[in-house]
Every structure is written in C-alpha cells, then in structure tokens.
C-alpha cells in the first residue's frame, strides 16, 4: 500500500507549498507522539482536565422501548461537550512540542472550534477559527464560547459558506503560515498524516468502550452505531472493534432527501473524488465540481468523508446508512425526554438509526451508540417543538 | 522543438486566465487578446468549486465562470478555438478532481486533441503524479510541476526529474494574489533551483507590475507568470468588453516589454 493510503483512498493531494509542512507534521507525529513523555502528558490532560474516561451508560428506558440492551458512550460528557477535545488536545500538544506559536482550525458545528479554543487556552497558544457564515448563525452559541475563551472566529462567506469552505480557508491560511502555525484539523479527513493521526487520538473512545462493555456485560457488543460527518467519532469508536465479530454502522446525514444538494451522505450517494487533500467518496457533479450539501446538523454538512471510511465501505466491514433531518429531530426529542440526555443533532443521527431499525435487534443484543456530543448548541425553538 | 521549449528562447511572459470567465464568448476574446498582445504562453485555468491554492481574486473568477456554465468540455473547446489562429503554447492549470473525475487517460487524450501543450495539476505533488505521468508520456503533453520556497533541495531534484516543459517557481508561501513587491523568497529560490536544473524557470504568484517582472528576470527567471493582475482587469471590466480588450492589450504589451527589455536577460 502506498504511503498514507487506506486501500486506494487517502493520499496527499495538496499544493507543493504544503508538502514540507505535512512532512514536518508526519515526522513530529512519528517521533514526538510516540514518546513516553508525550503520551503521559496527554493522558494527564485527558483525565484530570478533560474528564476521561467518559461513562458507558446503560439506558433502561430506551432499552425497554427498543427491545435490546442499549448503551451510550458518553462523549457528550467530555469537557467542551463533544469528542473533539480528544483530538485537539493531542494535536495542540504536538504543535507546542514542535514550537508552533499559533493554532488555526476550521469548524462546522463549532464543536471542533470550541475544542481548539479550549486546547489553545489551556496550553497558552492563540487560536483562529474559520467558520462558514451559515454555521456562525445557526451555531451562534459556539461562536460566543470560542470568543469567550480568547479565540478569534473568522466568518467565511465564499462558496457555500459552510464546513467545506471553512476547510478551504484554513488550508489557504496554513499555506502562508505553516512555519509558525499548526493547522488543527477536526476530523479524519485531509491529507496524510491527518486521517491517521486524528484516528489515533480518537481511538481512546473505542478502547474505553470495549473495556467498559466487557466489564459490564462480560462480552462484546453486537452492534456499534456512530454518526459520520468527516468520521472521527465513528472511527474512534469502531477502530478497536474492527477485528471483532461486532456489527459496525456509520450513519450519514440524509438531510431532506436524496436529490443532489439536499444531503451529506457521501458514502451513500457519492463516488470517489479528491477534495481537501484526499481521495475519498465525494458528492460531485459529472465534471467533478463539488456539490452543495444540506444537513440539519452543521457538523455533518460536508461533501466528503475520511478515506479510511471509504475503504471500510468498499470492504463491507462497516455499513453506512443515512437518516433524514425529520428522523433526527424526533430522535433528538426522544432521547431528551426518555433519558434526560440532550444529544447533539450530529449524534442524534445515530440514535435515529436505532429508532428506525430497532426490529433488527433481539432482546439480548447489546448495542452501543457513540453519543459524540451534547445538544446545548442546538436548542432552539424550532428544534424543540414538534411542528418540524 | 516543442512549442513550450520554443517559447523560452527569450524571457517569456506567461499570462493566466480562467476558461469561461466572465462567460465563454468573452473568454475567447480574452485569450486571443492576451496572445495577440504578446503572451508567450497562455495558462488556462479550468475553474473548480474549491480552489484551495487560490486567493480571493481567482476564487471569484472560478465562481463567475462556473455560474456562467463553464465545464471541462468548454475549456477544451476554448483551446480548439485558440488553435484556429495561434500556435502559442497552452498550459492547463487544473485541480486534481477535474482530471480524476474524467479519468486521467481520457482527460489527457482530449486535452491533446484540443491542442494543449502542458498540464499543471495544482494539488498534485510529485508523490501523487503516478496517476497522470503515463498519460502525459503517451500524449506528449508536458507535465508541469511547482517548486516553492518551502521545497527542500532533495525534493527539487526529484520534481525536476519528473517535470516536463518548465518549472513553475512559486515566489512565496501562500496562495495566488497580487503583492506590492517581489517576494523576498524569490531570488534565493531562483538561485538554488538554477543550481539543480537546466530546465526553464518561470516565476509566478504575486507578480503584478513591470517592476516586479523585470526584477524576476534580472534575478534569473526565464519566464514570468501573471494571474491575479490579469483576472482583476477582467473583473473590473466584465461589463465593458471593449474596455476590457483595450486594458488587457495594454497591460500585456507593457509586461511583455518589461520582461524582454531586461539588460542582461537571457
Ligand atoms: C457532536 C459532534 N458529533 C459528530 C460530528 C461530526 O464529526 P465526525 O464525523 O468527525 O465525528 C461533529 C462535528 O462537528 C460534532 O460536533
């Protein structure tokens, strides 16, 4: 397999300007991240600062309703309110070890931006976050949170003014600033070494979940379900189960329907293409122009997906499905009401899949849902009330 | 002798425009004007929805072209149009997905049939070039690569071994866009790449006026590439084709003169 590839997917499709920065990052990851010192330091931040390990919660009410044993992996309880901090603490620590003076990031839902702002604040590095104008409006709470923690939010108005365009701007910034700035990419997307590095930082989710379920049930789960935007929370929980007899399901944004521009299901409806440095499934037209996307969840409103997921799709090891906005809203309200847990709209995709597909599971089946984040950012009148 | 090699007999002025900006018909006029006014090589961008290597000016150019209906087919048609009256070398500037989605074999074949001489894939570094090199070879299209101030010496060698036509030296770290002065990184870049290869070296990114162009040639560049400054003229005059033509002709002639009349220039 070629360097930085997952099967045919991945690679380093970036302008030459960024190749030196990627080589340095790769070197840093190989040497610094593998050192005992780095790992101890990161482990300390992840525990006493970020609040790991996160609980694996057995949901009695949901289990009764679904007719199987349902657990939630509670990344919503991680500091910042989503799994994103696992990655940003790792990357920001690496950046500090590499002597970088400034962090840049893109964000969709604002959760990765918030997590970068947190890491920057605690590690003493200034943070600038690119965020699509559309997302600044619909995830306003997170804009305020980032600013409160000292980060600068830069609204992006070009293109579709969502996550894809925020990544474009962050990459343009980095092309000019890589000598002193680190680009903290928020998912398992982008050029090598990002997909691997971000996965390695996020597998803490799956390692814990695997150990926790073995302790609690004395056996492995039958199924693990996670939402897929770029795919970092999904690969984070799937990875340690890849070699096991466990059904893995990734849930993409079905949006308003299967017409182009109405969803974010790149694995379901795309074909391989190159965006943001990697070959992966991509929503595009016949000429290779990237299509607009739609999802009620800003964090899933993205036309591509991590290259490792593309490989796992082709090999069939992971099933990729999608749910519509309407189902997501129902799941959002359902989990809030039944368990007193308000999920992020992104995470509610995984819950919605279980609600729809509950008949697939037997009474003794164990299902783990990765609850990648909490929904405070999403609480608006429109989302809470039934008319949608 | 290939058309590209021929263009570097003296210092070359290389003009960039996006195929289909502001619309297909005007874009034919623009290409013809640039050629008629002295461009030694025409660099034609195929617009892409997500041009990460470009600054705001060329981003807007891509957007204008795409909303006016630009496609890869039309870009090839534009090259055929140019070939009706000119032998000036045409180099396509494309993003990788444009090539990949059409399948590289077909893209190169169609480009060749249209009369394209060289192809530069902005987001395809040497490591990923396996996808296209055979097709470049088969069609005789020269595969152009960039070298930047951040490219270490061992990579320069590797890139030069792979590259055809000329090396595109990126004068600064960052994206396309006009700059006030020639980048400080330009001179040392030209000097060290010159030591490693005999290929023609064309300097681009940021160059906007005669002073910078002349300095580039004085510093040893065999060619000067101008993009954003031309695209700005197009943007400013998109509603007035006559003035657009006049301004482009004047600008090109001035730049050409600046590039050619450098004392000591090769
Ligand atoms: C809570 C939450 N879950 C999931 C995602 C999607 O990202 P990924 O697929 O990388 O986990 C986001 C992105 O913003 C998010 O905020």
């Amino acid at each position: 397999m070629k360097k930085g590839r997952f099967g045919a997917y991945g690679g380093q499709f970036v302008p030459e300007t960024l190749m030196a920065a990627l080589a340095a990052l790769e070197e840093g990851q190989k040497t610094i991240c593998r050192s005992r010192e780095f790992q101890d330091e990161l482990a300390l931040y992840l525990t006493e600062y970020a609040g790991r390990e996160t609980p694996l919660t057995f949901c009695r009410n949901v289990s009764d309703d679904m007719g199987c044993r349902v657990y939630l992996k509670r990344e919503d309880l991680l500091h910042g309110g989503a799994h994103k901090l696992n990655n940003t603490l790792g990357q920001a620590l690496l950046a500090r070890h590499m002597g970088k003076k400034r962090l840049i990031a893109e964000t969709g839902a604002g959760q990765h931006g918030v997590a970068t702002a947190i890491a920057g604040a605690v590690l003493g590095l200034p943070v600038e976050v690119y965020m699509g104008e559309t997302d600044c409006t619909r995830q306003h709470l997170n804009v305020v949170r980032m600013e409160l923690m000292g980060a600068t939010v830069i609204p992006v108005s070009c293109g579709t003014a969502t996550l894809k365009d925020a990544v474009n701007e962050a990459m343009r910034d980095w092309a000019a600033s890589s000598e002193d700035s680190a680009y903290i990419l928020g998912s398992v997307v982008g050029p090598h070494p990002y997909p691997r590095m971000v996965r390695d930082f996020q597998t803490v989710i799956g390692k814990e979940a695997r150990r926790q379920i073995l302790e609690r049930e004395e056996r492995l789960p039958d199924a693990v379900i996670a939402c897929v935007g770029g795919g970092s929370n999904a690969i984070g929980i799937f990875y340690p189960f890849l070699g096991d007899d466990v059904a893995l399901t990734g849930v993409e944004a079905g949006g308003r329907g299967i017409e182009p521009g109405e969803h974010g299901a790149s694995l379901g409806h795309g074909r391989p293409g190159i965006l943001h440095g990697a070959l992966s499934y991509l929503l595009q037209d016949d000429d290779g122009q990237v299509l607009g996307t739609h999802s009620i969840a800003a964090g899933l409103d993205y036309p591509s997906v991590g290259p490792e997921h593309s490989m796992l799709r082709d090999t069939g090891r992971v099933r990729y499905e999608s749910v519509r906005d309407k189902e997501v809203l129902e799941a959002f309200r359902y989990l809030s009401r039944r368990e007193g847990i308000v999920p992020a709209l992104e995470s509610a995709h995984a819950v919605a899949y279980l609600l729809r597909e509950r008949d697939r599971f037997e009474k003794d089946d164990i299902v783990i849902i990765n609850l990648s984040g909490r929904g405070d950012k999403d609480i608006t009148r429109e989302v809470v009330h039934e008319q949608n | 002798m290939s058309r590209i090699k021929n263009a570097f007999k003296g210092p070359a002025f290389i003009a960039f425009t996006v195929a289909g900006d502001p619309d297909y018909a005007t874009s034919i006029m623009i290409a013809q004007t640039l050629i008629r006014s002295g461009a030694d090589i025409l660099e034609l961008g195929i617009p892409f929805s997500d041009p990460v290597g470009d600054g705001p000016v060329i981003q807007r150019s891509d957007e204008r072209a795409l909303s006016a209906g630009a496609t890869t087919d039309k870009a090839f048609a534009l090259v055929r149009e140019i070939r009706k009256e000119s032998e000036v070398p045409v180099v396509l500037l494309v993003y990788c997905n444009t090539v990949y989605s059409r399948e590289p074999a077909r893209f190169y074949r169609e480009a060749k049939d249209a009369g394209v001489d060289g192809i530069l894939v902005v987001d395809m570094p040497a490591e990923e070039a396996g996808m296209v090199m055979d097709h470049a070879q088969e069609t005789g299209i020269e595969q152009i690569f960039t070298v930047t101030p951040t490219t270490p010496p061992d990579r320069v060698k590797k890139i030069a071994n792979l590259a055809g036509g000329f090396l595109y030296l990126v004068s600064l770290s960052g994206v396309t866009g006009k700059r006030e002065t020639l980048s400080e990184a330009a001179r040392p870049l030209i000097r060290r790449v010159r030591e490693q290869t005999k290929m023609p070296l064309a300097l681009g990114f940021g160059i906007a006026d005669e002073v910078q162009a002349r300095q580039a040639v004085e510093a040893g560049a065999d060619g000067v590439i101008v993009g954003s400054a031309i695209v700005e003229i197009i943007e400013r005059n998109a509603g007035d084709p006559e003035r657009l033509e006049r301004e482009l002709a004047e600008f090109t002639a001035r730049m050409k003169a600046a590039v050619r009349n450098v004392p000591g220039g090769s």
Side-chain angles (χ1 to χ4, degrees):
Chain A
M1 201 159 33
K2 273 174 73 179
K3 191 182 90 174
R5 295 287 178 138
F6 302 92
Y9 301 105
Q12 289 187 313
F13 295 91
V14 295
E16 172 64 22
T17 311
L18 283 174
M19 288 303 283
L22 291 175
L25 185 61
E26 198 179 344
E27 184 59 27
Q29 198 214 350
K30 267 192 205 139
T31 54
I32 298 165
C33 292
R34 287 197 189 142
S35 73
R36 197 42 311 144
E37 186 203 352
F38 179 89
Q39 289 184 0
D40 289 349
E41 195 180 9
L42 178 58
L44 193 66
Y45 275 105
L46 285 175
T47 51
E48 69 171 37
Y49 181 73
R52 297 216 77 88
E53 66 180 43
T54 61
L56 184 72
T57 305
F58 177 65
C59 296
R60 274 179 189 74
N61 305 328
V62 174
S63 295
D64 284 349
D65 296 349
M66 297 297 116
C68 57
R69 301 179 63 74
V70 179
Y71 286 84
L72 299 180
K73 179 59 177 165
R74 301 293 305 280
E75 294 303 296
D76 61 316
L77 294 179
L78 191 68
H79 179 44
H83 68 292
K84 299 287 182 186
L85 194 63
N86 298 323
N87 172 41
T88 59
L89 279 174
Q91 283 197 54
L93 262 182
L94 174 59
R96 200 170 69 174
H97 278 278
M98 289 173 69
K100 301 298 177 191
K101 302 278 181 274
R102 166 180 174 259
L103 307 180
I104 49 184
E106 84 296 336
T107 197
Q111 288 302 131
H112 173 61
V114 164
T116 307
I118 291 171
V122 71
L123 297 177
L125 292 165
V127 172
E128 285 177 46
V129 180
Y130 291 92
M131 186 169 188
E133 266 177 357
T134 307
D135 295 335
C136 289
T137 308
R138 62 176 163 167
Q139 305 275 256
H140 184 69
L141 178 65
N142 277 341
V143 175
V144 179
R145 286 171 81 198
M146 285 184 262
E147 287 172 348
L148 181 62
M149 291 184 282
T152 305
V153 179
I154 306 166
V156 176
S157 60
C158 60
T160 56
T162 55
L163 180 53
K164 152 180 101 75
D165 310 283
V167 176
N168 289 343
E169 279 304 291
M171 286 179 78
R172 290 177 185 126
D173 181 320
W174 200 40
S177 67
S178 64
E179 202 165 323
D180 70 344
S181 303
Y183 177 22
I184 311 292
L185 193 39
S187 192
V188 286
V189 299
H192 175 71
Y194 283 104
R196 187 158 308 184
M197 176 171 67
V198 177
R199 177 197 71 199
D200 289 350
F201 287 135
Q202 290 293 2
T203 46
V204 65
I205 304 172
K207 284 183 193 157
E208 284 178 12
R210 198 171 186 284
R211 180 165 36 74
Q212 288 166 317
I213 200 71
L214 284 172
E215 275 165 20
R216 184 73 157 57
E217 293 273 0
E218 295 182 340
R219 70 176 183 90
L220 289 171
D222 298 282
V224 177
I225 305 169
C227 69
V228 177
S232 68
N233 87 88
I235 205 74
I237 196 163
F238 292 165
Y239 197 72
F241 292 105
L242 282 178
D244 300 321
D245 183 20
V246 175
L248 305 173
T249 304
V251 186
E252 295 192 290
R256 292 182 291 240
I258 59 167
E259 298 75 29
E262 294 294 302
H263 61 84
S266 37
L267 291 162
H269 299 291
R271 61 188 161 88
I274 293 155
L275 179 70
H276 298 151
L279 173 64
S280 198
Y281 276 82
L282 176 64
L283 296 168
Q284 55 186 318
D285 71 11
D286 290 344
D287 242 10
Q289 305 293 349
V290 180
L291 290 169
T293 52
H294 165 80
S295 170
I296 192 170
L300 308 186
D301 205 346
Y302 183 69
S304 188
V305 65
E308 194 163 14
H309 286 288
S310 290
M311 179 185 77
L312 293 169
R313 172 203 186 274
D314 286 1
T315 63
R317 176 63 191 92
V318 179
R319 280 177 70 95
Y320 294 91
E321 305 280 351
S322 64
V323 296
R324 303 252 172 126
D325 287 353
K326 194 166 169 308
E327 298 170 277
V328 172
L329 283 171
E330 280 161 19
F332 177 86
R333 295 174 195 131
Y334 168 79
L335 192 68
S336 304
R337 202 166 54 238
R338 289 296 278 157
E339 297 288 349
I341 295 171
V342 180
L345 284 172
E346 290 78 12
S347 325
H349 280 68
V351 180
Y353 175 77
L354 178 63
L355 286 180
R356 190 177 74 198
E357 303 293 333
R358 68 183 82 171
D359 292 345
R360 286 174 182 268
F361 300 102
E362 311 271 323
K363 183 169 153 294
D364 292 329
D365 281 358
I366 300 169
V367 177
I368 299 178
I369 292 176
N370 195 16
L371 203 77
S372 57
R374 63 177 146 98
D376 304 47
K377 68 186 178 60
D378 299 313
I379 301 175
T380 59
R381 205 166 280 132
E382 296 75 38
V383 167
V384 172
H385 294 292
E386 299 281 340
Q387 61 267 31
N388 285 286
Chain B
M1 196 189 271
S2 79
R3 279 195 287 238
I4 290 179
K5 202 175 257 162
N6 208 30
F8 283 100
K9 281 195 301 204
F13 175 62
I14 304 173
F16 170 85
T17 186
V18 170
D21 174 29
D23 56 62
Y24 181 69
T26 314
S27 159
I28 295 174
M29 178 276 276
I30 290 168
Q32 290 173 339
T33 304
L34 292 170
I35 294 166
R36 208 180 315 116
S37 314
D40 297 297
I41 296 179
L42 184 72
E43 242 185 38
L44 204 56
I46 299 187
F48 183 53
S49 53
D50 294 84
V52 291
D54 287 298
V57 172
I58 294 176
Q59 284 172 46
R60 286 198 300 271
S61 177
D62 282 8
E63 278 179 27
R64 277 193 303 274
L66 289 172
S67 43
T71 61
T72 302
D73 283 337
K74 283 191 190 163
F76 290 147
L78 177 57
V79 178
R80 279 193 295 271
E81 206 61 50
I82 293 164
R83 281 286 164 262
K84 284 182 188 166
E85 55 181 60
S86 168
E87 287 297 307
V88 80
V90 173
V91 172
L92 291 181
L93 224 107
V94 298
Y95 281 86
C96 207
N97 202 44
T98 303
V99 178
Y100 184 82
S101 80
R102 178 158 291 232
E103 299 208 331
R106 182 179 157 206
F107 188 92
Y108 278 71
R109 198 172 356 96
E110 292 180 356
K112 183 66 188 180
D113 290 347
V116 166
D117 299 281
I119 296 180
L120 193 168
V121 185
V122 178
D123 51 348
M124 196 185 68
E127 283 76 358
E128 303 291 355
M131 190 196 289
V132 301
M133 290 313 294
D134 285 350
H135 310 300
Q137 194 98 53
E138 273 163 32
T139 55
I141 287 180
E142 316 242 35
Q143 192 65 36
I144 317 285
F145 287 90
T146 53
V147 169
T148 75
T150 58
T151 308
D154 54 327
R155 272 185 73 76
V156 174
K157 196 161 283 164
K158 179 172 167 178
I159 293 168
N161 283 338
L162 213 55
F166 59 92
L167 281 180
Y168 187 136
L169 302 195
V170 175
S171 72
L172 48 84
S173 297
V175 294
T176 55
K178 277 167 56 174
R179 306 293 197 278
E180 293 295 313
T181 54
L182 191 68
S183 156
E184 274 179 30
R187 275 174 240 271
L189 179 65
I190 294 169
R191 202 174 313 124
R192 73 184 172 93
V193 176
R194 179 83 298 157
E195 283 169 13
Q196 292 195 268
T197 177
K198 291 195 166 58
M199 289 183 84
L201 308 180
L203 188 76
F205 275 47
I207 300 174
D209 61 31
E210 299 106 296
V211 176
Q212 295 171 40
R214 200 174 298 123
Q215 286 170 342
V217 177
E218 275 167 2
D222 303 301
V224 172
I225 306 164
V226 174
S228 295
I230 289 173
V231 173
E232 265 190 23
I233 295 174
I234 297 169
E235 180 164 60
R236 214 170 40 235
N237 299 296
D240 185 347
E242 272 164 39
R243 210 169 93 190
L244 173 58
E245 185 171 354
R246 198 168 58 240
E247 283 201 26
L248 279 178
E250 279 169 17
F251 179 77
T252 307
R254 268 193 284 127
M255 292 300 279
K256 171 77 173 241
V259 168
R260 280 288 156 99
N261 299 332
V262 176
S266 51

